[in-house]
């Protein structure tokens, strides 16, 4: 934990109850460091989205706290929002807008000046690689195109941390591959990511560290290679199985 | 800057090509319909302004009556068209004369009068449509009135020159004519003056509630669609996790939906105005003064008071829709959520059009008063007929209602309820409806 002071996201004992007494997410603690890709992995209903929404200041935690760039989601939500961007799972965009209009609109939400907004749009146009299709209505886009557009939107303000909930779910192999490649390239430039996925195999290749989450509990964190070694497993799916079976909490 | 970006985006989403096309289409339809109706009404009023009469008595007195009909009365000169009626197949005779109504002075007209008896007169008209204005046979109605007046004058001059009137004669003066009405197809006579009043008030008494109704419905629909689409596409999550004020997000939505609703209302107003038949009905010269005397004309103050009411109602409808939209699970369910709102709008709308709400039994009346929209539907009435307390009470109630709705909406959008609420839509949906009604 040598680079603890470099953590851009610190999650501390975060819990959420939608209904009294039922935890959707319980006592989740982890860090994401600068330039790191951290992935929450677990099956559907494990509590990934719940945890992510709390960090993105959309849900109020029942217990615990999270800090982005040192600001608490409980007391400094406005500051936290300046440091993050969030791509919800299965997200869409405004259908009546053209791709470029969407980027323009979203850039205005994050920028402090017209010049900065223009700069954001330019960045996004490069990242999404949609070319002339940006002049078409979003209605006419395929799933993969929308995801690329949204990913570019998430990246363009160069946030401290980009939070992507299931960024590749619902995409075909080619598109998923492209998205993963984009994320890796951006992280190499120093950007931090918090991802989630229920597909444990694909996440092995994209993330620097993973957190295994099941039934709302974060059971294990570590580098994929370390975890494979520790559990003497072939892949992260096997790791997940062993972690869940060995768990004393569950 | 962020606020205007939001507002621009909301307008763009709410005013897509389809909605604009619909608006243009509606305006076009209303104008062309208005043109057609105006033309029909023009022909109708031209025809109905003429007096068509048949003199079967053919005596000095009946000729004098015909002459009297031609002389100008109260600044209006009547065009008199004398026809021959040869049978009592009146339907055929109407057809032959090419008119919708005529008056017959039957044989023995002069004789009855000189004998001091009620004189018969036959009034034949054809009903051609159920539309209120198509049944106005102004010419013949005027003829009957004028003949009555002529007879009265004759009796009066004749008798008073001979001395005092007997009791029977006084009675005769009160009702000199026995009008036999022959209505072809159906009988529906209308007092012209009342029709004039009605038609001039029509635009306000029917038209204002209609505009309010449209404002509420279209505004709510736009808002519910906007909110639920944003929620279901998860663009709302993106927006609410961005560094923008949530109040800006909310108010941009409110203002954009209000602008769209007002645009709709303006379109309907323009369209209705084109359709309005007032322009072709000729009012007597002193009609405007009569209306003023009765307090039936609208000054700026009246329009302002009604405008405030309309704005309040619209904001209430929009804030309720904002709340309803937040609970939508799908676009389809958002339409279902509109139903209770439509119900509480249509009830006072219909009620206010058909009856005087203030004359209803207490329980029913207060039930209607509980619905905030009622106060806007009855605002015109309240103002014209001086029910100031009712107007002000309604206004205060609406303001309070709006404050409550907005508070709830803000609470939902600034807390995490917007993301946790829809899971409970089954239970909550019902609760919401109950809330609307009380
Ligand atoms: N808005 C909500 N209201 C109530 N329960 C919820 C809500 N959202 C999620 N849950 C429940 O919380 C648990 C975790 O869900 P979620 O965080 O979406 O899991 P994941 O994203 O890992 O698939 C699930 O049991 C789910 O049913
Ligand atoms: Mg999820």
């Amino acid at each position: 934990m040598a680079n603890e002071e470099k953590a851009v996201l610190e999650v501390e004992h975060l819990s959420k109850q939608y209904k009294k007494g039922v935890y959707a997410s319980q006592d989740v603690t982890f860090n994401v460091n600068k330039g790191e890709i951290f992935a929450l992995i677990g099956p559907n209903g494990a509590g990934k989205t719940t945890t992510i929404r709390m960090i993105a200041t959309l849900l109020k935690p029942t217990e615990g706290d999270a800090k982005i760039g040192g600001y608490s989601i409980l007391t400094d939500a406005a500051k936290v929002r300046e440091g993050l961007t969030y791509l919800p799972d299965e997200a869409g965009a405004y259908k009546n807008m053209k791709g470029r209009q969407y980027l323009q609109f979203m850039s205005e939400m994050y920028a402090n000046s017209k010049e900065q907004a223009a700069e954001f749009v330019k960045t996004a146009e490069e990242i999404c690689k949609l070319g002339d299709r940006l002049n078409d209505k979003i209605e006419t886009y395929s799933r993969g195109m929308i995801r690329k557009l949204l990913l570019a939107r998430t990246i363009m303000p160069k946030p401290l941390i980009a939070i992507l909930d299931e960024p590749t779910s619902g995409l075909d192999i080619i598109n998923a591959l492209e998205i993963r490649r984009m994320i890796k390239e951006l992280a190499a430039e120093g950007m931090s990511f918090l991802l989630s996925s229920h597909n444990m195999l694909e996440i092995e290749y994209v993330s620097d560290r993973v957190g295994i989450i099941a039934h709302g509990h974060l059971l294990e964190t570590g580098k994929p290679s370390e975890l494979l070694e520790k559990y003497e497993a072939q892949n992260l799916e096997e790791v997940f199985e062993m972690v869940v079976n060995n768990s004393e909490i569950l | 800057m962020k606020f205007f970006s939001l507002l621009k985006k909301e307008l763009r989403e709410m005013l897509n090509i389809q909605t604009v096309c619909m608006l243009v289409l509606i305006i076009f339809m209303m104008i062309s319909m208005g043109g057609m109706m105006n033309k029909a009404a023009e022909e109708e009023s031209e025809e109905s302004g003429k007096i068509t009469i048949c003199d079967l008595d053919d005596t000095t007195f009946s000729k004098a009556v015909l002459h009297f009909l031609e002389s100008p009365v109260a600044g209006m000169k009547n065009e008199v068209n004398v026809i021959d009626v040869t049978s009592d197949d009146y339907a055929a005779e109407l057809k032959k004369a090419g008119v919708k109504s005529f008056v017959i002075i039957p044989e023995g007209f002069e004789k009855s009068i000189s004998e001091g008896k009620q004189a018969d007169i036959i009034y034949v008209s054809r009903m051609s449509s159920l539309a209120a204005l198509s049944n106005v046979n102004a010419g013949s109605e005027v003829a009957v009135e004028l003949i009555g007046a002529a007879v009265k004058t004759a009796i009066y001059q004749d008798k008073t020159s001979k001395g005092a009137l007997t009791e029977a004669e006084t009675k005769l003066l009160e009702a000199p004519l026995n009008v036999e009405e022959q209505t072809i197809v159906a009988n529906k006579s209308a007092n012209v003056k009342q029709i004039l009043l009605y038609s001039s008030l029509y635009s306000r008494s029917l038209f204002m509630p209609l505009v309010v109704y449209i404002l509420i419905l279209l505004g709510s629909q736009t808002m519910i669609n906007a909110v639920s689409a944003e929620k279901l596409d998860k663009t709302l999550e993106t927006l609410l996790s961005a560094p923008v004020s949530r109040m800006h997000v909310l108010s941009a939505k409110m203002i954009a939906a209000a602008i769209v609703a007002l645009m709709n209302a303006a379109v309907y107003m323009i369209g209705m105005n084109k359709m309005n038949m007032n322009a072709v009905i000729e009012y007597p010269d002193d009609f405007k003064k009569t209306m003023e005397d009765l307090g039936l004309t609208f000054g700026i103050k009246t329009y302002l008071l009604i405008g405030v009411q309309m704005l309040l109602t619209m904001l209430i409808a929009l804030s309720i829709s904002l709340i309803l939209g937040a609970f939508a699970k799908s676009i389809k369910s958002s339409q279902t959520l509109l139903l209770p709102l439509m119900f509480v709008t249509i009830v006072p709308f219909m009620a206010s059009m058909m009856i005087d709400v203030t004359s209803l039994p207490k329980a029913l009346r207060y039930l209607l008063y509980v619905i905030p929209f009622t106060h806007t539907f009855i605002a015109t009435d309240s103002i014209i007929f001086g029910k100031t307390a009712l107007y002000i009470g309604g206004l205060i109630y609406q303001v309070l209602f709006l404050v409550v709705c907005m508070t709830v909406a803000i609470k939902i959008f600034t807390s995490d309820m917007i993301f946790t609420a829809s899971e409970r839509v089954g239970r909550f949906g019902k609760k919401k409806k109950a809330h609307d009604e009380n």
Side-chain angles (χ1 to χ4, degrees):
Chain A
M1 294 282 131
N3 39 6
E4 196 149 40
E5 60 271 299
K6 283 205 298 184
V8 289
L9 169 66
E10 301 155 78
V11 180
E12 297 152 6
H13 309 291
L14 213 49
S15 298
K16 179 67 184 179
Q17 298 182 351
Y18 289 108
K19 268 180 282 187
K20 263 221 149 35
V22 186
Y23 281 99
S25 156
Q26 190 171 5
D27 198 17
V28 172
T29 301
F30 66 92
N31 282 353
V32 179
N33 300 321
K34 184 145 186 9
E36 189 178 43
I37 303 175
F38 185 94
L40 284 172
I41 56 174
N44 290 326
K48 304 181 295 292
T49 300
T50 302
T51 306
I52 281 177
R53 279 179 163 179
M54 285 189 284
I55 298 167
T57 73
L58 298 174
L59 287 180
K60 265 196 191 65
T62 312
E63 291 138 34
D65 193 1
K67 291 197 179 92
I68 290 180
Y71 292 108
S72 157
I73 57 168
L74 298 179
T75 53
D76 282 313
K79 282 281 180 200
V80 169
R81 287 180 197 135
E82 285 176 14
L84 70 85
T85 56
Y86 169 48
L87 175 59
D89 60 336
E90 300 289 325
Y94 302 105
K95 294 201 174 60
N96 289 322
M97 284 191 191
K98 292 171 181 158
R100 187 168 281 114
Q101 286 175 329
Y102 175 73
L103 293 178
Q104 180 66 39
F105 167 66
M106 288 310 299
S107 72
E108 283 162 11
M109 294 299 107
Y110 289 94
N112 296 315
S113 67
K114 271 207 162 71
E115 294 72 35
Q116 200 180 19
E119 201 181 294
F120 288 174
V121 173
K122 205 162 149 262
T123 311
E125 283 173 357
E126 280 162 23
I127 297 171
C128 71
K129 300 191 178 79
L130 287 173
D132 285 343
R133 290 303 306 271
L134 278 175
N135 297 323
D136 295 339
K137 281 212 168 175
I138 294 173
E139 267 180 332
T140 67
Y141 286 17
S142 70
R143 248 169 193 258
M145 289 169 71
I146 291 182
R147 200 64 60 87
K148 282 177 203 161
L149 181 75
L150 294 184
L151 183 62
R153 181 274 293 166
T154 312
I155 306 307
M156 69 183 176
K158 303 210 165 64
L160 284 176
I161 187 163
I163 302 172
L164 316 176
D165 195 0
E166 310 257 3
T168 57
S169 79
L171 296 186
D172 57 45
I173 316 168
I174 305 288
N175 274 308
L177 208 70
E178 268 187 87
I179 296 276
R180 287 203 296 271
R181 197 172 290 143
M182 282 170 159
I183 294 170
K184 269 202 106 79
E185 281 171 16
L186 290 158
E189 291 170 20
M191 203 160 175
S192 311
F193 286 92
L194 169 61
L195 316 180
S196 83
S197 180
H198 64 267
N199 184 339
M200 294 163 209
L201 298 180
E202 70 157 21
I203 230 65
E204 213 173 308
Y205 308 107
V206 70
S207 45
D208 298 322
R209 276 196 306 138
V210 297
I212 292 174
I213 188 167
H215 303 289
H217 295 275
L218 187 65
L219 299 172
E220 177 74 280
T221 56
K223 289 193 164 75
S225 55
E226 286 171 4
L227 292 177
L228 293 181
E229 214 172 295
K230 180 175 170 190
Y231 290 91
E232 292 173 347
Q234 295 289 316
N235 54 44
L236 282 181
E237 260 175 16
E238 284 179 23
V239 174
F240 178 82
E241 197 183 14
M242 281 187 250
V243 168
V244 171
N245 288 341
N246 295 348
S247 169
E248 285 144 27
I249 319 172
L250 298 181
Chain B
M1 178 192 156
K2 284 179 183 177
F3 174 75
F4 286 104
S5 304
L6 282 165
L7 184 63
K8 205 171 91 191
K9 163 233 150 198
E10 293 295 351
L11 282 174
R12 185 155 46 201
E13 287 298 297
M14 291 175 187
L15 273 179
N16 50 34
I17 304 280
Q18 291 99 302
T19 46
V20 173
C21 281
M22 267 298 280
L23 281 183
V24 173
L25 195 73
I26 286 167
I27 261 206
F28 177 77
M29 264 172 50
M30 282 181 135
I31 289 177
S32 56
M33 232 167 97
M36 269 153 51
M37 278 168 73
N38 273 351
K39 207 154 164 267
E42 233 161 68
E43 279 165 10
E44 200 128 344
S45 72
E46 246 169 44
E47 190 194 287
S48 65
K50 280 187 210 148
I51 294 175
T52 306
I53 196 157
C54 169
D55 181 10
L56 293 179
D57 195 34
D58 202 23
T59 55
T60 344
F61 184 66
S62 69
K63 278 187 184 130
V65 167
L66 287 190
H67 184 72
F68 181 70
L69 290 180
E70 276 171 350
S71 60
V73 180
M76 291 217 292
K77 195 177 180 310
N78 297 303
E79 201 182 311
V80 179
N81 173 28
V82 182
I83 57 162
D84 248 346
V85 175
T86 49
S87 71
D88 37 3
D89 180 359
Y90 293 128
E93 294 292 341
L94 276 175
K95 215 171 182 178
K96 198 176 79 188
V99 292
K100 277 182 62 189
S101 71
F102 56 68
V103 176
I104 300 173
I105 300 176
E107 231 183 306
F109 183 72
E110 191 191 48
K111 194 162 162 270
S112 311
I113 289 174
S114 59
E115 283 169 6
K117 282 193 255 165
Q118 252 191 346
D120 286 337
I121 206 161
I122 303 168
Y123 170 19
V124 181
S125 65
R126 176 170 9 98
M127 188 166 171
S128 59
S129 150
L130 286 175
L133 277 172
S134 71
N135 297 313
V136 188
N137 295 306
S140 299
E141 304 259 357
V142 167
V144 172
E145 297 253 332
L146 290 180
I147 294 170
V151 172
K152 270 187 212 170
T153 318
I155 298 169
Y156 195 70
Q157 277 172 358
D158 186 35
K159 295 293 173 182
T160 45
S161 62
K162 286 177 192 160
L165 290 164
T166 67
E167 204 175 312
E169 283 161 350
T170 319
K171 252 202 179 123
L172 187 63
L173 259 185
E174 269 164 25
L177 294 182
N178 172 33
V179 181
E180 184 194 337
E181 282 190 33
Q182 294 283 342
T183 304
I184 313 302
V185 177
N187 181 359
K188 182 140 192 173
S189 67
N191 185 310
V192 189
K193 277 178 196 145
Q194 215 178 327
I195 278 289
L196 283 181
L197 272 184
Y198 171 75
S199 69
S200 79
L201 278 180
Y202 171 85
S203 59
R204 287 143 204 177
S205 62
L206 185 97
F207 178 65
M208 292 271 196
L210 196 64
V211 169
V212 173
Y213 184 66
I214 291 164
L215 268 179
I216 294 175
L217 279 201
L218 292 184
S220 314
Q221 186 138 32
T222 314
M223 182 59 107
I224 285 194
N225 286 345
V227 176
S228 56
E230 186 129 27
K231 194 180 164 183
L232 299 168
D233 282 340
K234 308 220 175 155
T235 49
L236 190 62
E237 286 183 42
T238 307
L239 216 48
L240 296 187
S241 67
V244 287
S245 148
R246 291 184 175 194
M247 290 302 282
H248 283 181
V249 174
L250 259 192
S251 50
K253 271 208 180 341
M254 284 289 282
I255 292 172
I259 290 173
V260 173
L262 285 173
M263 274 178 58
N264 276 303
V267 164
Y268 279 90
M269 275 194 203
I270 295 166
M272 290 286 284
N273 213 22
K274 293 279 176 200
M275 276 175 66
N276 208 346
M277 296 186 297
N278 283 356
V280 293
I281 295 174
E282 277 184 42
Y283 295 108
D285 292 342
D286 58 352
F287 184 69
K288 203 162 168 239
K289 202 183 162 300
T290 315
M291 293 281 287
E292 266 164 25
D293 292 346
L294 288 170
L296 294 178
T297 45
F298 284 24
I300 291 183
K301 199 179 129 211
T302 317
Y303 277 115
L304 247 148
L305 289 176
I306 294 173
V308 167
Q309 274 284 357
M310 282 167 77
L311 192 69
L312 269 175
T313 274
M314 193 171 67
L315 291 177
I316 290 173
L318 290 182
S319 53
I320 292 176
S321 320
L322 202 60
I323 298 167
L324 291 178
F327 293 103
K329 265 182 175 166
S330 66
I331 292 289
K332 221 177 141 204
S333 85
S334 73
Q335 296 302 314
T336 318
L337 289 173
L338 250 185
L339 287 175
L341 193 64
M342 270 167 70
F343 180 73
V344 296
T345 312
I346 206 159
V347 168
F349 171 51
M350 294 309 248
S352 70
M353 274 202 335
M354 291 187 293
I355 37 168
D356 179 4
V357 171
T358 54
S359 69
L360 286 173
K362 213 170 187 173
L364 214 56
R365 184 157 30 115
Y366 282 101
L367 200 68
L368 279 174
Y369 286 167
V370 162
I371 302 172
F373 307 133
T374 308
H375 300 282
T376 303
F377 287 125
I378 62 172
T380 315
D381 249 32
S382 302
I383 294 167
I384 290 183
F385 299 107
K387 299 170 205 163
T388 317
L390 184 59
Y391 175 84
I392 293 174
L395 203 69
I396 292 170
Y397 176 64
Q398 279 184 314
V399 170
L400 290 176
F401 203 96
L402 179 62
V403 169
V404 170
C405 287
M406 276 316 290
T407 311
V408 172
I410 290 169
K411 179 103 183 78
I412 288 174
F413 276 78
T414 53
S415 71
D416 62 6
M417 277 170 81
I418 179 87
F419 300 113
T420 56
S422 69
E423 304 294 318
R424 297 177 277 171
V425 77
R427 254 193 301 146
F428 219 86
K430 280 191 194 99
K431 234 194 253 173
K432 186 72 221 80
K433 187 179 159 192
H435 174 81
D436 283 350
E437 281 161 353
N438 57 47

